[in-house]
Amino acid sequence: MVEAYGGAEKQSEQQVVMTADAHENLRADASDNLPEPVEARPQQMQAADPVRVPLYRRDLKPTNLVLSADDLKEFCELLAEVNEKAKEIEYSRLDLATFDSPQQARARVNELMPIEYNYVAGNGDSMQGLGIPKTDERAFPDDLQSLFASNAAFAERAINLRPLNTVEVFLGFERPSLKIDLQTLPSNPTENRSVINVAGRDEDWVISTAQKIDDFFKKRKAARPIIHGSGTYDYFIYLLFLPAAIWLFYKRGAWVAEWLSNQSVFLNVVLGVYAILLTLLLARFVFQYVRWLFPPMEYYKRSRWGAFIHRGIAAAVGSAVVLGAAYDLIKAAALSLLG
């Protein structure tokens, strides 16, 4: 066993020597194969590098619009018109050698770049199709909530590629909620999710498309109160609602004041704090109601008479309260100055 161990030890020493010699040979071979050192030079773009084409983009956020079903149909026709130009640009950039004929290439472009639309009704039903939606049919909803249109959605879903020039539209017609959510600040501006994205490799197409869409919406702008802006709630409370509430209490609250005079101080304080909180809660509801009555994006299918009547009644009631309070205030100020 000792001789076997000694023989194994000698064999191990021979392997170590052979391994060291092999490493020396590898180092010699590696040093012979190393390239000669060269001076460091700044890297330059070679002529064979691909040309980087910039992506031009215009983002539009439409608001204060009143659109009918016919307006939406005309808008989709406008999108189809600008999409024809996008198809021509796409066709001009194709490698026709990969197709059997130019007609096949053009047919392929037309097949993959239609206008795709999707609209959602108030009850949650949705409709998806290609081309121009048929707004004159009974299937088109009276309570439209949103409309989406794109010339890139179909190609991206079919071949996982986007066209060179794209236009994508989302128009939201949801009214602000009447529910009082204490976690949402009323001073925040009204949420408007409507957005139009125009992007492409052709700058002229992007600029002209965005301009045509902007001109289309300018003709359908509607006057909207500033109630949808940021911070409007604070002005509404301190400059309009609280003065009107004080005036109403002054005119009609004599019996309440007489009843409170017979109660304890503690009860008067508790009821006063509660009345202020209840008044602010009512003011919050009135504020959200006005936002709901005049939404930033309004849709109607054929007629707006219902909205006009509703707004007329609300305006008459609000004007009576505000004008009455203003008259009494001016009268009291005039009497104090003359007396």
Side-chain angles (χ1 to χ4, degrees):
M1 291 179 63
V2 175
E3 293 178 357
Y5 177 79
E9 186 176 4
K10 292 179 181 180
Q11 185 177 2
S12 177
E13 291 177 356
Q14 292 177 357
Q15 290 178 354
V16 171
V17 173
M18 291 177 62
T19 304
D21 294 339
H23 279 294
E24 290 296 334
N25 294 333
L26 288 175
R27 289 197 194 97
D29 294 339
S31 61
D32 294 338
N33 294 329
L34 285 176
E36 296 181 1
V38 295
E39 297 180 0
R41 298 177 181 177
Q43 294 184 357
Q44 299 179 358
M45 183 177 294
Q46 304 297 325
D49 292 343
V51 179
R52 296 181 179 179
V53 181
L55 178 67
Y56 304 97
R57 188 180 185 91
R58 289 285 180 89
D59 296 327
L60 308 176
K61 296 183 179 180
T63 186
N64 296 338
L65 297 179
V66 178
L67 301 175
S68 66
D70 294 334
D71 291 331
L72 294 179
K73 181 180 180 180
E74 185 177 349
F75 178 67
C76 290
E77 291 173 351
L78 173 62
L79 296 181
E81 178 185 341
V82 298
N83 188 43
E84 290 301 320
K85 179 61 177 177
K87 290 180 182 180
E88 292 295 331
I89 298 174
E90 194 81 23
Y91 174 77
S92 64
R93 304 291 179 85
L94 288 179
D95 183 8
L96 298 181
T98 59
F99 296 91
D100 296 337
S101 63
Q103 291 77 13
Q104 184 190 23
R106 189 175 295 276
R108 184 61 172 169
V109 172
N110 292 330
E111 178 186 359
L112 293 176
M113 286 185 62
I115 294 293
E116 181 175 346
Y117 64 86
N118 182 287
Y119 58 80
V120 180
N123 59 0
D125 294 343
S126 62
M127 177 69 72
Q128 184 174 355
L130 300 177
I132 310 299
K134 298 180 180 179
T135 58
D136 53 346
E137 292 186 354
R138 295 179 59 185
F140 200 75
D142 295 329
D143 54 343
L144 182 68
Q145 296 295 305
S146 65
L147 172 69
F148 172 79
S150 169
N151 71 335
F154 185 81
E156 195 167 17
R157 187 172 62 253
I159 59 176
N160 199 25
L161 288 176
R162 293 177 65 84
L164 296 175
N165 301 284
T166 62
V167 54
E168 294 180 309
V169 178
F170 179 83
L171 300 178
F173 299 101
E174 294 183 2
R175 291 177 177 268
S177 176
L178 288 176
K179 296 180 180 179
I180 297 178
D181 182 9
L182 298 180
Q183 295 181 350
T184 303
L185 295 177
S187 296
N188 293 340
T190 304
E191 183 182 8
N192 181 20
R193 299 187 299 147
S194 300
V195 64
I196 300 174
N197 300 320
V198 184
R201 306 295 181 180
D202 189 284
E203 184 179 11
D204 293 337
W205 184 88
V206 173
I207 294 176
S208 62
T209 300
Q211 188 61 47
K212 289 179 180 179
I213 294 175
D214 192 50
D215 293 340
F216 178 85
F217 286 147
K218 279 182 179 179
K219 299 177 182 179
R220 292 155 179 84
K221 282 278 187 179
R224 283 291 184 264
I226 59 174
I227 199 167
H228 295 289
S230 176
T232 310
Y233 178 75
D234 301 324
Y235 296 104
F236 171 77
I237 288 294
Y238 299 114
L239 299 181
L240 184 62
F241 190 85
L242 287 181
I246 294 173
W247 173 79
L248 284 176
F249 182 79
Y250 171 76
K251 297 290 290 184
R252 307 298 179 186
W255 63 274
V256 178
E258 182 180 357
W259 181 81
L260 290 175
S261 63
N262 299 323
Q263 309 303 320
S264 64
V265 176
F266 175 77
L267 183 60
N268 286 339
V269 172
V270 171
L271 292 178
V273 173
Y274 177 74
I276 292 176
L277 296 177
L278 190 63
T279 302
L280 292 177
L281 189 64
L282 178 61
R284 176 83 177 265
F285 176 80
V286 172
F287 182 79
Q288 293 184 187
Y289 170 74
V290 177
R291 279 187 168 182
W292 177 88
L293 195 60
F294 298 93
M297 295 286 291
E298 183 179 354
Y299 160 80
Y300 67 98
K301 189 169 184 179
R302 290 292 176 263
S303 175
R304 298 178 64 197
W305 280 109
F308 286 148
I309 295 174
H310 190 172
R311 292 168 186 172
I313 296 174
V317 174
S319 299
V321 175
V322 174
L323 293 178
Y327 173 77
D328 287 348
L329 180 63
I330 295 173
K331 182 180 178 181
L335 291 176
S336 62
L337 291 176
L338 295 176

